[in-house]
Amino acid sequence: MMHCRVCETKLVENIDFGPMPIANNFVEDRKSSLVDHFHMRTGVCPKCFCYQLFDQPAPEAMFNENYPFFTSTSRRMVMHFESTWHNTVKKLARPGDLIVEIGSNDGSFLLNAVADGFNVLGIEPSKSVHDAAVARGIRSINEFFSLDLSRRLKAEFGKARVVFGANVICHIPNVIEIFKAAESLLEDDGWFIFEEPYILDVLKLNSFDQIYDEHVFLYSATSVSQIARTAGLILVNMDRISNHGGSARYFLRKSKHRSSDVAVEEERKLGLQDLETYEEFASRVRTLEEQIPAFLQAAKDRYGRIYGYGATSKSTTINRYCGINNRLVEKIYDVTPRKIGTYAPGSGIPVRSFDERVEDNPRCFVLYAWNHKAEIQEKEREFTASGGVFVEFFPAPRFC
Ligand code: JHZ
Ligand code: ZN
């Protein structure tokens, strides 16, 4: 696909990452973990400035019964969704209203709405996490969101006061259909609210690891406001939040409401509507492609062995693009039962339980879960007090 998924203008190529595996393909067979699945290239639309992948694997290849990312593995993310419910979404709804979540994962957000007596519906195509939500008593539908599904839901459950999504809208290639589906599911005074990594923060931090198979788009107010218009919606507000190294939360309503171009105007001033901004980012990413493995090699020379902290989706892009394998990074520790005992995609680095660290006695961690730095540093006070160090990559590799 060489044309913008939103406005069909020819894309301007931005970064060529080369062959890539599926970022969350954590499997027990080392050989299959090394299989590449697609050629990862990004482009920017010169008309609507939607930043996107040229190609993406089929949705079913990414989101299925083996999907291993569970929202509840981060205590802070669980707290974040609790406060998102109480401080934002709940304030826009009345008890008894229907709250629909697209990509509801293990129910970490909807649990809060259930506890307050709201009517909830989760939509989750990945069976692994859908089952976890059902086990927690959340009404969840194991399907991809679509126009067809929204019609069926409306017939069965009525209209929704809020359609919410966290870290999911940027995963969906047929975005115009999804916006139309949200629009048709909403009450006239309803709200479509979603949040996810914000391209401005990615450009500022050089955090190219937010680019992987699942993230077919990296959005801005500029691009979201234009997609909204194609679907009978308008952007009424955008908030910046700190998750995932910097996210944006977009508030959309039906087009009879009043739109705001404050965020779009701010982005124009910051260069998000200039192609050079993206070209400069690409050139900084190419520098990191050299710097990251060199820095890790130096860290290994100094500390003997280095270990990964958090088998994130993001780590797949870093490892594959920078050619990092298990000769450089010994293993990656992770708390997720589904990831333990597997190999990290594209690198062959074993993923192991933190139980093994007592024996390994790591002195240097590669902070692949850098977006959870505060939570991890709090947990790892003893490690750092005893001289242990972390390596972080963005905006440039360093010890922290
Ligand atoms: P984390 C996922 O990306 C996938 P990932 C998805 N595509 C997306 O958009 C983002 O989330 C939002 C582990 N961990 O959150 C748990 C520890 O071991 O950075 C996770 O496996 N110890 C939907 O995968 C991983 O690290 C800890 O103390 O990049 C973190 O993954 C903590 C805090 C985490 O998301
Ligand atoms: Zn476009």
Side-chain angles (χ1 to χ4, degrees):
M1 152 90 84
M2 305 282 288
H3 291 87
C4 175
R5 287 175 180 79
V6 175
C7 73
E8 291 175 14
T9 306
K10 200 160 185 288
L11 295 175
V12 175
E13 179 165 327
N14 188 238
I15 306 174
D16 187 343
F17 288 94
M20 275 286 159
I22 289 196
N24 266 308
N25 189 31
F26 290 91
V27 286
E28 284 169 23
D29 169 30
R30 186 170 192 273
K31 231 171 128 193
S32 346
S33 77
L34 292 171
V35 173
D36 288 317
H37 205 91
F38 74 122
H39 181 176
M40 192 162 91
R41 275 183 304 167
T42 58
V44 199
C45 174
K47 190 167 165 221
C48 74
F49 296 97
C50 210
Y51 192 89
Q52 54 201 285
L53 293 180
F54 276 30
D55 301 300
Q56 191 193 28
E60 299 77 16
M62 298 181 283
F63 307 109
N64 51 44
E65 67 284 4
N66 299 318
Y67 193 65
F69 176 77
F70 289 68
T71 305
S72 56
T73 47
S74 160
R75 200 175 53 83
R76 292 240 177 151
M77 285 306 286
V78 169
M79 284 160 53
H80 163 75
F81 287 120
E82 190 181 337
S83 101
T84 301
W85 168 252
H86 287 286
N87 301 326
T88 305
V89 178
K90 186 180 170 181
K91 289 189 172 152
L92 301 172
R94 306 142 304 199
D97 276 347
L98 177 64
I99 311 291
V100 173
E101 183 178 8
I102 308 175
S104 37
N105 199 278
D106 57 15
S108 293
F109 170 74
L110 286 180
L111 265 182
N112 301 290
V114 171
D116 280 343
F118 283 75
N119 215 345
V120 312
L121 193 54
I123 299 162
E124 179 48 68
S126 303
K127 179 118 177 34
S128 48
V129 290
H130 156 86
D131 286 349
V134 172
R136 296 164 98 183
I138 307 290
R139 188 165 62 186
S140 174
I141 295 189
N142 185 209
E143 272 190 59
F144 285 97
F145 190 52
S146 65
L147 254 178
D148 173 61
L149 180 63
S150 98
R151 284 195 197 104
R152 280 184 280 136
L153 296 180
K154 225 171 18 179
E156 192 174 343
F157 304 101
K159 290 198 170 183
R161 176 71 181 177
V162 177
V163 174
F164 180 71
N167 306 304
V168 65
I169 301 302
C170 66
H171 296 60
I172 305 178
N174 51 330
V175 63
I176 294 182
E177 172 178 347
I178 284 336
F179 273 44
K180 285 183 177 162
E183 194 273 341
S184 95
L185 192 52
L186 280 182
E187 288 176 11
D188 280 355
D189 286 325
W191 297 81
F192 177 29
I193 304 170
F194 66 93
E195 59 183 59
E196 48 198 31
Y198 182 33
I199 187 153
L200 187 64
D201 290 304
V202 172
L203 298 178
K204 269 196 186 152
L205 267 180
N206 303 329
S207 47
F208 67 85
D209 62 347
Q210 285 296 1
I211 301 166
Y212 49 91
D213 57 353
E214 293 178 24
H215 290 178
V216 60
F217 292 111
L218 283 177
Y219 286 123
S220 55
T222 302
S223 49
V224 166
S225 63
Q226 293 177 82
I227 302 166
R229 257 181 260 132
T230 66
L233 293 165
I234 41 130
L235 180 68
V236 297
N237 187 25
M238 184 194 91
D239 287 342
R240 293 182 69 174
I241 49 183
S242 62
N243 300 333
H244 296 292
S247 291
R249 181 184 285 154
Y250 306 94
F251 293 78
L252 280 69
R253 306 196 82 184
K254 297 212 179 200
S255 45
K256 67 169 189 176
H257 295 274
R258 188 198 290 263
S259 68
S260 157
D261 55 8
V262 174
V264 176
E265 185 49 28
E266 184 66 14
E267 288 179 353
R268 192 188 59 76
K269 287 191 202 137
L270 292 168
L272 283 195
Q273 298 169 16
D274 301 322
L275 287 173
E276 301 84 78
T277 304
Y278 301 88
E279 280 156 24
E280 287 160 15
F281 168 63
S283 115
R284 295 194 299 273
V285 170
R286 284 191 292 271
T287 305
L288 281 174
E289 180 190 5
E290 310 286 321
Q291 286 178 337
I292 288 176
F295 193 91
L296 290 183
Q297 187 56 55
K300 186 178 159 84
D301 293 345
R302 184 151 148 200
Y303 291 96
R305 289 184 171 160
I306 56 179
Y307 296 82
Y309 204 109
T312 59
S313 325
K314 299 182 289 290
S315 69
T316 300
T317 295
I318 298 178
N319 290 335
R320 183 71 182 95
Y321 181 53
C322 300
I324 297 164
N325 59 26
N326 63 312
R327 285 191 297 279
L328 193 50
V329 176
E330 218 69 26
K331 48 174 101 162
I332 307 178
Y333 299 109
D334 198 284
V335 295
T336 315
R338 252 175 199 274
K339 292 182 184 173
I340 293 167
T342 66
Y343 290 90
S347 65
I349 305 173
V351 181
R352 295 287 186 263
S353 154
F354 279 93
D355 294 349
E356 295 188 12
R357 78 183 273 190
V358 183
E359 205 182 315
D360 299 337
N361 190 28
R363 305 316 299 147
C364 176
F365 277 127
V366 180
L367 191 55
Y368 286 122
W370 57 271
N371 46 311
H372 300 291
K373 184 174 166 183
E375 176 171 357
I376 291 169
Q377 279 182 327
E378 200 179 286
K379 269 200 255 193
E380 296 292 347
R381 280 212 193 101
E382 236 176 83
F383 169 74
T384 31
S386 69
V389 294
F390 287 95
V391 175
E392 70 181 348
F393 297 131
F394 308 113
R398 62 178 195 110
F399 289 112
C400 64

